[in-house]
Amino acid sequence: MSQFNPSKLHVHYMMPATSYEPVVGRKYTLTHSDKTGDLFLNIGTQYNLNAIDKKNKDEVLAGWIFQEGRYLLKGRVYVTSGEFNEQLSKIRFTIFQKELSLALTAIIYGDRKFYFYHPYLLDAPIYIQFESSLPEFHRLMYCGTPRWYLLTA
């Protein structure tokens, strides 16, 4: 797994989102550069679709929701809808699993001021949906809490 380097993280707030609001509907778009290793985090009320690499589809998308009486951070990564064969889908799935901790650290660390205003979210669960048309790679994974990622950043 890659090591998180805060100096490689570039954060951009997309209005009307700020460092303290909104909670519900707050969305994260995390992309990266394979060449430089830089991570780009957009925080807004919508995903930054312009930042997404439509060919590779290797971004991490996440957002805060209120469900069944509790807040949770729910995200997704895209494995395949059939355009990638099983071997390539397995490679994508494995890479996402390997790098997910780095991605979540970047998202949580990049929005760390937000938790100053909303400390009750530090222990909210994080779930990531691996989206795939192949059943073996389509799964929902529990990935800890924001507190865990802030402590390990």
Side-chain angles (χ1 to χ4, degrees), residues 58-71:
D58 56 1
E59 67 282 339
V60 177
L61 304 175
W64 283 101
I65 62 173
F66 190 76
Q67 182 178 311
E68 298 176 4
R70 67 180 181 161
Y71 289 97

Side-chain angles (χ1 to χ4, degrees), residues 8-98:
K8 293 277 192 177
L9 178 63
H10 308 279
V11 180
H12 173 70
Y13 287 94
M14 300 177 349
M15 296 304 285
T18 67
S19 62
Y20 56 90
E21 65 180 358
V23 175
V24 173
R26 186 178 199 82
K27 293 186 174 25
Y28 304 100
T29 306
L30 183 71
T31 59
H32 70 281
S33 167
D34 286 332
K35 292 179 183 176
T36 65
D38 286 351
L39 298 167
F40 304 95
L41 177 63
N42 289 274
I43 302 169
T45 56
Q46 298 179 24
Y47 297 118
N48 185 353
L49 300 179
N50 293 327
I52 294 174
D53 181 338
K54 292 168 185 37
K55 180 182 176 223
N56 292 323
K57 300 179 183 178
D58 56 1
E59 67 282 339
V60 177
L61 304 175
W64 283 101
I65 62 173
F66 190 76
Q67 182 178 311
E68 298 176 4
R70 67 180 181 161
Y71 289 97
L72 58 108
L73 183 58
K74 191 166 185 187
R76 66 183 194 251
V77 295
Y78 181 84
V79 179
T80 189
S81 284
E83 72 276 28
F84 301 117
N85 66 29
E86 188 170 347
Q87 182 179 2
L88 188 52
S89 296
K90 182 176 184 177
I91 291 169
R92 288 175 60 81
F93 179 80
T94 302
I95 291 170
F96 275 127
Q97 280 190 310
K98 180 181 170 201

